[in-house]
Amino acid sequence: MATYVLIPGAAGTPWHWHLVEAALRDRGHHVIVVDLPNDDDSAGLLEYADAVVDAVGARGRDGGGVVLVAHSFAGFTAPLVCERVRVDRLVLVTAMVPATGETPADWWTNTGYEQARRERDAHDEGRAPDETGLFYGDVPAVLAAAALGRQRRQSGTPFEEPWPLTSWPDVPTTFLLCREDRFFPAPFMRRVVQERLGITADEIDGGHYVLLSRPQELAARLEGYAP
């Protein structure tokens, strides 16, 4: 049995992981879903990491088998946790990959994100998706509406803080790319992962919120990554 620690992305809440949480529990695993201080303007990246460490508690100090799973913006938080918790594997699910000294606000320009978005829009004949299509395009409509309603206000504070690590943590890392992601287009993320982590991303069908559109498939992938 592994312990999965699931970290939401920007504006995300534990609810956004609830289907994957249930699927992993059904498979016999222990699951911790972190509630981040997204709407707290006094909380930065270190406070986000504190929230994860506090949620993991003694399991991260005394036991093995911790699989840390970060969605989207949580890519800036999860590596900080690996410096303080015994993590057997870090899994980034369509997540941002930071560089030393980089703020999340600068990540978009540094990675060439806007060019990737323009290429995506050109491929779609200039029709940029709305918020629902961007994040929840492949999520059933009722579930997508519920997800939008449960989003929390996201403070800009952590986006202005430089990522403090001087190198990527010495933890086995897997990146799971979503092939139909409209927010982080697949060709863009393949390049970023190769350039910044020096690895080839694993891939799964689905969009940015694959945790809602394909929870059983995602849970199976996560189970396969356990030590």
Side-chain angles (χ1 to χ4, degrees):
M1 181 183 73
T3 295
Y4 289 89
V5 181
L6 310 179
I7 312 175
T13 68
W15 181 90
H16 290 86
W17 277 110
H18 77 283
L19 296 178
V20 176
E21 177 187 10
L24 288 170
R25 290 189 188 279
D26 287 346
R27 293 168 178 265
H29 300 290
H30 183 71
V31 185
I32 299 168
V33 189
V34 182
D35 191 10
L36 295 174
N38 298 22
D39 54 358
D40 182 352
D41 290 329
S42 70
L45 293 175
L46 296 181
E47 286 72 28
Y48 282 41
D50 287 344
V52 180
V53 173
D54 289 346
V56 176
R59 285 183 178 271
R61 296 190 301 270
D62 306 331
V66 171
V67 181
L68 190 62
V69 186
H71 178 241
S72 197
F73 178 51
F76 266 82
T77 299
L80 308 182
V81 177
C82 293
E83 298 288 292
R84 300 167 57 188
V85 168
R86 289 179 57 190
V87 174
D88 289 331
R89 180 164 293 276
L90 171 58
V91 183
L92 303 172
V93 179
T94 190
M96 299 168 77
V97 181
T100 299
E102 181 177 65
T103 68
D106 288 337
W107 182 89
W108 314 91
T109 298
N110 293 347
T111 56
Y113 176 75
E114 289 304 323
Q115 176 62 29
R117 286 283 295 270
R118 286 192 292 270
E119 292 172 357
R120 182 212 66 197
D121 292 345
H123 181 269
D124 293 345
E125 298 180 351
R127 296 190 300 271
D130 60 11
E131 183 178 5
T132 300
L134 195 62
F135 295 104
Y136 303 106
D138 64 331
V139 177
V142 172
L143 191 58
L148 280 168
R150 290 177 180 268
Q151 287 183 174
R152 187 177 295 157
R153 183 185 71 85
Q154 176 60 56
S155 169
T157 299
F159 285 85
E160 302 303 325
E161 294 188 352
W163 193 65
L165 298 188
T166 57
S167 62
W168 197 259
D170 187 19
V171 172
T173 300
T174 299
F175 193 100
L176 187 58
L177 176 151
C178 299
R179 296 189 187 98
E180 287 85 43
D181 194 338
R182 306 294 302 285
F183 185 53
F184 289 155
F188 163 73
M189 291 310 299
R190 290 187 188 107
R191 174 179 58 78
V192 170
V193 171
Q194 183 63 53
E195 291 177 353
R196 296 202 164 195
L197 294 176
I199 63 175
T200 300
D202 286 355
E203 300 192 10
I204 188 172
D205 290 335
H208 195 69
Y209 267 89
V210 66
L211 44 164
L212 291 173
S213 64
R214 296 173 178 267
Q216 293 291 339
E217 186 177 347
L218 179 55
R221 288 293 194 96
L222 296 178
E223 187 174 50
Y225 295 141

